[in-house]
Amino acid sequence: MTIANTSSVFAAVTRHFDNPRVVEAIRLTIVMDDAAPVVLTPAHARDALYGPDRDPALVNPLWQAAMRAAAAEQGPEQTWRLLLVWLALPRLTGTAVRICRRLRADRADLEAEMVLALLEGLQGDEHPSADSVDSLLKAVRSRAWGLARSGAREFADDTLERLSDSRGVSYDQAQDTGSVRSHQVEVTRHDQIGGLRAHLRFTVSPESVGRRTLAALAESAERRDASCRRPAPGRGHQVTSGSLGRRAEHR
């Protein structure tokens, strides 16, 4: 048994127009220059915009008719506004997918923000033109990117430092704990709804406890390796130190 994800606004709008009883009375009338008005069902309107037999001459008048009907709607039904959102989904879904993949944003939040931006932008355009839809959808996509970037900000956390202190990590020199910068933690949210899941990414500064601890371990390993390579006493060799390891001299 699977639990349906009902938080997707895009999915809810799609299900609404998949219901034949809902859309049987909806007809979008498109007025074209020097031609008889064209009356389209929601499915025919979407095919005219994205289908293989789309008519380029019909695209701009169709968007204009849909935007004007949605902007003029005053009743509680919100039929034409839902139709406008449904017609715009193919031009918004790809952006939502890219944002979620690149910035690990929450898909439900993005979809809700996009629909809100679309409806708010529609209210500010009383007489939408044929080119208004491109500007409106561009603003919607920009707002979604802005929301995702604002949610991806990192915040400071000193978990690793406190963990190292609790394990008794020693320092060669005493350091002021106030001068050590905290580690940065980025939390990535997943689409799964069955429990909490997150990736933690730590950006360790050069002054941090973890980096100094690793340096101390590396130095200890180098000393042990050098002692293993040192010749046994009594063989008449004098070992001299140096980064290039100068040739040993005979006594």
Side-chain angles (χ1 to χ4, degrees), residues 31 60 87 181 209 239 249:
V31 179
N60 285 340
L87 294 177
R181 291 185 297 178
V209 174
V239 179
E249 299 177 357

Side-chain angles (χ1 to χ4, degrees), residues 134-194:
D134 294 328
S135 301
L136 178 58
L137 294 182
K138 181 179 179 180
V140 170
R141 289 189 288 265
S142 299
R143 183 158 159 178
W145 280 105
L147 175 69
R149 291 190 178 99
S150 66
R153 295 173 181 172
E154 296 180 344
F155 56 92
D157 185 86
D158 60 346
T159 302
L160 290 184
E161 291 178 1
R162 289 186 284 104
L163 179 62
S164 299
D165 292 341
S166 64
R167 296 296 177 86
V169 177
S170 60
Y171 304 94
D172 293 335
Q173 294 180 353
Q175 297 287 339
D176 182 11
T177 57
S179 63
V180 179
R181 291 185 297 178
S182 298
H183 300 279
Q184 305 236 340
V185 179
E186 179 181 343
V187 178
T188 301
R189 290 187 291 182
H190 291 263
D191 293 334
Q192 293 92 338
I193 59 176

Side-chain angles (χ1 to χ4, degrees), residues 37-104:
V38 178
V39 181
L40 299 175
T41 65
H44 290 158
R46 201 169 190 183
D47 288 340
L49 292 175
Y50 307 107
D53 299 329
R54 61 189 296 269
D55 184 2
L58 189 61
V59 171
N60 285 340
L62 196 158
W63 278 117
Q64 191 171 2
M67 292 183 64
R68 286 181 176 176
E73 189 170 40
Q74 301 294 332
E77 296 295 332
Q78 304 297 319
T79 299
W80 300 112
R81 295 191 179 188
L82 285 174
L83 177 62
L84 179 63
V85 172
W86 186 65
L87 294 177
L89 288 187
R91 299 180 62 175
L92 299 177
T93 303
T95 300
V97 172
R98 287 192 296 273
I99 294 176
C100 292
R101 183 174 62 247
R102 296 180 186 179
L103 300 180
R104 303 293 184 180

